[in-house]
Amino acid sequence: MSITTTTHLNFRGDARAALEFYRSVFGGEIAVATHQQAYGTTDPAEAGLVAWGQVHAENGFHVMAFDVPASQSYDAGDKPVYVSVRGADGDEITGYWKGLSDGATIVQDLAPSGWTPLYGMLKDRFGVTWVLDVAVAY
């Protein structure tokens, strides 16, 4: 028996745009169910929001997203979650970094560090903090 874990990100109206952006960086396929499809929401302002969405790629990338409706509290906070992307290939990690950097705030430039050949941290244009690094054997 085995399990997997998937980062599930919450947004207030940006889930679809975020999923499309992440697909443009990592590849894969998007699947989305709207609030209207999942919950029968008839409010035009919320019917098209994402009730369940994901990007799933053959390279192993998988992230889910949800648009929190106005009737529920939502506070993205300053650092509620980091999404960590770790790989063995520096060129691959650098490619993801370049994609995620579009519109991002760089927290730590992607560069060699004391524990890994490449490490970097950024907050993307949707407010999600990403940590990218090259895995090393311990």
Side-chain angles (χ1 to χ4, degrees):
M1 179 188 276
S2 67
I3 63 168
T4 61
T5 59
T6 301
T7 303
H8 191 283
L9 304 171
N10 294 326
F11 298 94
R12 179 78 86 188
D14 287 328
R16 185 182 305 272
L19 289 170
E20 290 169 356
F21 176 64
Y22 301 143
R23 184 190 57 72
S24 78
V25 173
F26 295 98
E29 300 295 325
I30 294 178
V32 170
T34 66
H35 280 245
Q36 183 177 23
Q37 292 167 321
Y39 311 126
T41 303
T42 57
D43 178 351
E46 294 194 341
L49 293 178
V50 174
W52 177 90
Q54 72 172 7
V55 173
H56 195 264
E58 289 184 23
N59 61 12
F61 181 79
H62 189 200
V63 69
M64 296 174 71
F66 170 70
D67 278 317
V68 179
S71 63
Q72 297 177 16
S73 65
Y74 174 73
D75 180 0
D78 183 41
K79 294 181 182 76
V81 64
Y82 290 164
V83 179
S84 177
V85 176
R86 174 171 281 166
D89 184 297
D91 290 337
E92 181 180 25
I93 293 299
T94 299
Y96 297 145
W97 177 266
K98 287 178 181 175
L100 289 169
S101 294
D102 182 27
T105 300
I106 305 302
V107 177
Q108 174 70 43
D109 284 323
L110 185 67
S113 72
W115 65 91
T116 183
L118 284 176
Y119 168 86
M121 180 186 288
L122 60 81
K123 182 179 262 190
D124 74 18
R125 62 185 179 200
F126 298 100
V128 176
T129 301
W130 293 79
V131 177
L132 287 85
D133 65 348
V134 172
V136 296
Y138 293 100

